[in-house]
Amino acid sequence: MLNGGFPEGHIILITGNTGTGKSTFSMQFLEEGIQKGEKGIFVNLEEPISQVKKTAEAHGWNFSKHEKDGMLKFITPKLIDTYPDRFLYEIINILDEINAKRIVLDCVSSLPSSGLSDDKLRQILLQLNSALKSRGVTGLLTHLQSGLLSQRKGKFFGDTKASDLRLSSLCDGIIMLRYFERKNKIGKAINILKMRGCDHDKYVRELKIGDNGVCVGEAFEEVSL
């Protein structure tokens, strides 16, 4: 769908409803990098690290070993007890310390609930964007978006609003994960809304999550529910 993968140094927003595969998608992104010798950082803003490792292990990705080998670093900031700038510098310092090439922030929609205003969040992400690009680091930001499953007759998908935090303008790419209902079955779908510098696939495709992670299927034909 991307004709070769994410452009180096891009920040990509992965948005979708709960359970659509955002975290799994991001973990697989880190795993693929590690297999290529690229160190990664997982900034954990929601689930305990133990749960992240357990989820990764279910797909055959040994994050505990990667951490022990120095290929993967976890950051779990206490946003309520720290200054936003300290959160930013902690990430940048570890980027430089281990020379990471990939980073995941899961999930940025948790930041406002920790006391960060939307404007401050945008300022931090702008600074992070600049830091990543200057170092050639590629980043994925996951974002929880509600209301993506349409309940209206004749409408295949729910709304396509990428983010209520206006993050879309800060990101080089947006990938949307959504639910769909067809023939009394609920499934998952993926589409690329934008990707700067890349002639990406324009189709909406089925997304399946199995033992080996995410798998992209065929493009959907036009349907009427």
Side-chain angles (χ1 to χ4, degrees):
M1 295 183 74
L2 288 167
N3 292 319
F6 298 125
E8 185 177 277
H10 269 28
I11 289 186
I12 315 299
L13 184 68
I14 311 293
T15 183
N17 208 333
T18 181
T20 49
K22 301 182 300 297
S23 294
T24 302
F25 191 107
S26 300
M27 292 178 196
Q28 188 163 340
F29 167 73
L30 290 176
E31 175 69 20
E32 291 290 334
I34 291 170
Q35 295 304 320
K36 296 177 181 178
E38 299 178 358
K39 295 180 180 180
I41 295 175
F42 191 100
V43 182
N44 178 41
L45 301 173
E46 288 194 328
E47 293 182 340
I49 292 177
S50 58
Q51 182 60 46
V52 173
K53 291 180 177 179
K54 184 177 180 180
T55 301
E57 188 174 331
H59 297 291
W61 310 325
N62 195 336
F63 276 17
S64 293
K65 181 178 184 301
H66 296 333
E67 184 181 29
K68 183 178 179 180
D69 293 342
M71 295 299 295
L72 178 63
K73 180 75 174 182
F74 288 96
I75 301 177
T76 306
K78 297 180 179 179
L79 295 174
I80 296 178
D81 300 324
T82 191
Y83 294 105
D85 290 341
R86 188 177 299 174
F87 161 67
L88 175 64
Y89 292 134
E90 180 181 6
I91 294 175
I92 294 175
N93 288 337
I94 294 178
L95 276 173
D96 292 337
E97 178 185 335
I98 70 172
N99 193 28
K101 301 302 293 182
R102 303 188 182 205
I103 185 171
V104 166
L105 273 72
D106 186 35
C107 165
V108 295
S109 50
S110 300
L111 294 174
S113 62
S114 300
L116 281 175
S117 67
D118 288 359
D119 288 340
K120 188 61 179 179
L121 173 56
R122 284 174 61 83
Q123 181 182 344
I124 288 176
L125 292 178
L126 278 170
Q127 292 177 287
L128 180 60
N129 192 331
S130 177
L132 296 182
K133 288 185 181 303
S134 66
R135 293 164 173 78
V137 179
T138 307
L140 297 190
L141 315 179
T142 69
H143 178 268
L144 177 62
Q145 176 65 49
S146 61
L148 297 181
L149 176 59
S150 174
Q151 297 179 353
R152 284 176 284 176
K153 184 177 181 181
K155 187 168 183 182
F156 190 39
F157 291 107
D159 296 332
T160 57
K161 184 180 179 183
S163 169
D164 54 2
L165 295 175
R166 297 182 296 123
L167 298 178
S168 58
S169 62
L170 300 178
C171 298
D172 301 292
I174 301 174
I175 294 178
M176 182 167 284
L177 308 183
R178 296 182 277 180
Y179 287 116
F180 70 91
E181 180 181 358
R182 184 173 59 179
K183 295 181 180 179
N184 297 319
K185 179 182 178 182
I186 300 295
K188 299 180 178 72
I190 180 173
N191 70 292
I192 302 170
L193 293 186
K194 78 170 186 178
M195 192 66 60
R196 291 173 184 150
C198 175
D199 184 19
H200 61 81
D201 188 300
K202 307 301 190 300
Y203 290 99
V204 178
R205 297 180 180 274
E206 186 171 9
L207 181 71
K208 296 182 179 180
I209 300 178
D211 293 340
N212 297 320
V214 299
C215 178
V216 177
E218 296 296 322
F220 288 110
E221 298 179 358
E222 185 176 354
V223 296
S224 178
L225 298 182

